[in-house]
Amino acid sequence: MIYLGVPYGSNFGWGVLGKEIAFAMARSTDVRVIAPPDIDQRLDDEFERYHLRRLLVSPSDVSSANVPLIQAAIGRTLDPFVPGLPPAAVGYAVFEEDRLLPEAVAQARRNYRHLVAASGYCANVLRQHGLTEVSVLPHGVDTTRFTPRTEPRTFLQDRFVIFSGGKFELRKGQDIVIRAYKVLQDRHKDVMLVHSWHNVWPKTRDTMAASPHIRYFPPRDDDYHAWISALLASHGIDLDRVIPVGPRNHRLLPDLYHATDLGIFPNRAEGGNNMVLMEYLACGKPALASYNTGHKDILRRSNAVLIESHRPIEFRPYGELLATWHDPSLDETIAKLEWCYQNRGRLQSIAKQAAVDMRAFSWTRLADGLLGIAKEGVPAEA
């Protein structure tokens, strides 16, 4: 028996990560997922909900300090997802800030025997702060669901459709997308933008106020589509050539990705490996992406068009310096976006290689790696 303290859900990163780890572990071992009673968690898919329900236990069922326990280590504080439990054999860490508080480091030593980082970036930050029991295991991607298709899309076959996904915030770089897309929009009449930027956390959404590229204003009410459309229009974006996409079931995302020609991901920091990017690549779709932080674990010049020029940008959401991120060059982003538009044929070999490369990043590989460390103390790749 092994216990797993992770978030689960259908349409946010940690939630998808948690449920996929749980299901992958359940295929090979007896696993129980700890469900804190004070946290509202749910799955949209009825079959997944049924399957997970058979694995759930309450924190009170985990009383022995000898049971193997794997916990999500949340954010720069590295807090265990389920508090009040015995120390975990493994903490799976995903965070974007490169400055950790001394108390967070001390707490991590008490709470986890070993920390597994989702990216080389996170692992380096942990080691720089004196934590030595650290390994790296990147995210997985479901390549049975996110897979290439040969049939043409139904709509917009005569358009060059650019996709941008990820919750709207400074870290994800949608301000760079807006500026770069505006240039392409003005040059080429067949260009369109499909964006999936919904963000239910105002605290992270409002970090876009620090953007060096756009004039940010927060929404006045809960009408997300009206607000994001007004923001785009204020920067000269032709709304007749934009399709906004709200939250949708994770199972429906392949249809969204396959309705587009190119994904653009000029992210400033990724503590993981960018789940949306991995899914897009696994579908055999070409991507223009920043080569920094967690992206470096999955991207190569052979499987993506890389934005390689960066400058440091300080992340100070509350005045305190939390991180120095990598700000992708807007000029390079525009130039390479134009290159992608002009070289669609050459993009196909890049996209084909991306789909092949993503097969190495399975959820089973991640689950087995975590299990091996939790049960045997055998480190994953250093």
Side-chain angles (χ1 to χ4, degrees):
M1 177 76 70
I2 194 158
Y3 289 92
L4 191 59
V6 292
Y8 59 84
S10 299
N11 50 26
F12 66 100
W14 258 118
V16 173
L17 176 70
K19 62 128 173 152
E20 293 290 355
I21 291 175
F23 291 153
M25 284 186 179
R27 289 191 286 268
S28 64
T29 194
D30 191 8
V31 63
R32 293 293 179 268
V33 178
I34 309 163
D38 56 340
I39 299 179
D40 184 23
Q41 299 188 102
R42 64 190 70 187
L43 295 174
D44 294 337
D45 186 87
E46 293 83 358
F47 291 94
E48 289 184 339
R49 195 158 58 234
Y50 173 80
H51 184 44
L52 186 68
R53 190 169 65 232
R54 299 181 300 116
L55 305 178
L56 295 179
V57 295
S58 69
S60 60
D61 295 317
V62 188
S63 56
S64 170
N66 296 320
V67 296
L69 172 63
I70 299 171
Q71 287 253 44
I74 303 292
R76 69 189 288 258
T77 60
L78 302 172
D79 290 328
F81 176 67
V82 185
L85 297 182
V90 176
Y92 192 59
V94 184
F95 55 89
E96 283 76 34
E97 299 83 357
D98 60 2
R99 285 164 173 77
L100 306 181
L101 295 174
E103 51 265 37
V105 174
Q107 176 179 264
R109 289 194 175 98
R110 294 192 298 269
N111 284 332
Y112 315 106
R113 187 188 76 214
H114 194 94
L115 280 164
V116 177
S119 67
Y121 165 76
C122 276
N124 289 337
V125 172
L126 293 171
R127 292 170 181 143
Q128 288 166 6
H129 285 80
L131 293 163
T132 57
E133 295 297 319
V134 176
S135 303
V136 180
L137 281 173
H139 292 175
V141 60
D142 184 350
T143 54
T144 62
R145 180 179 304 169
F146 298 96
T147 188
R149 296 179 184 176
T150 56
E151 66 274 14
R153 63 175 180 253
T154 304
F155 302 105
L156 304 174
Q157 293 182 2
D158 60 342
R159 301 296 185 96
F160 185 75
V161 184
I162 298 169
F163 169 76
S164 175
K167 61 184 185 295
F168 191 87
E169 59 178 317
L170 183 70
R171 182 174 65 82
K172 293 288 187 180
Q174 288 91 350
D175 54 333
I176 300 172
V177 174
I178 292 170
R179 287 288 304 278
Y181 172 78
K182 172 66 166 62
V183 173
L184 219 67
Q185 167 201 272
D186 293 347
R187 290 175 179 172
H188 309 290
K189 299 302 182 185
D190 60 340
V191 170
M192 289 192 65
L193 174 66
V194 172
H195 66 79
S196 179
W197 295 342
H198 198 80
N199 188 346
V200 299
W201 295 283
K203 195 173 183 179
T204 59
R205 180 202 65 212
D206 291 345
T207 59
M208 194 61 87
S211 166
H213 300 301
I214 66 170
R215 303 174 304 279
Y216 172 78
F217 54 86
R220 296 179 178 178
D221 51 37
D222 293 330
D223 190 339
Y224 165 78
H225 287 297
W227 164 70
I228 198 67
S229 295
L231 184 70
L232 289 172
S234 73
H235 290 85
I237 304 299
D238 180 358
L239 298 182
D240 287 337
R241 294 158 64 182
V242 175
I243 299 177
V245 178
R248 59 170 53 192
N249 189 296
H250 194 237
R251 288 182 175 274
L252 301 178
L253 291 179
D255 292 337
L256 173 62
Y257 301 153
H258 282 291
T260 65
D261 294 294
L262 175 75
I264 178 170
F265 301 88
N267 302 42
R268 294 180 168 98
E270 284 292 332
N273 316 108
N274 194 340
M275 195 175 298
V276 178
L277 172 59
M278 293 181 75
E279 293 168 353
Y280 196 83
L281 295 174
C283 284
K285 307 298 293 183
L288 170 62
S290 55
Y291 190 63
N292 64 43
T293 58
H295 282 184
K296 286 188 171 184
D297 296 286
I298 62 168
L299 297 182
R300 303 290 181 269
R301 288 180 180 173
S302 58
N303 65 20
V305 180
L306 304 181
I307 306 166
E308 300 181 79
S309 298
H310 300 81
R311 67 175 181 86
I313 183 171
E314 292 186 347
F315 180 54
R316 297 177 176 270
Y318 324 110
E320 176 190 1
L321 178 61
L322 300 186
T324 300
W325 288 339
H326 307 262
D327 195 31
S329 165
L330 177 59
D331 289 341
E332 184 184 358
T333 303
I334 294 170
K336 289 191 171 176
L337 188 57
E338 176 69 28
W339 184 92
C340 291
Y341 177 86
Q342 300 290 351
N343 294 273
R344 301 177 212 187
R346 295 174 67 178
L347 287 179
Q348 298 315 305
S349 61
I350 294 173
K352 184 177 180 180
Q353 186 62 48
V356 172
D357 290 351
M358 289 307 103
R359 293 176 196 158
F361 298 97
S362 69
W363 290 114
T364 298
R365 176 179 179 272
L366 172 56
D368 289 349
L370 292 172
L371 283 171
I373 297 172
K375 290 182 174 181
E376 304 171 22
V378 178
E381 66 175 281

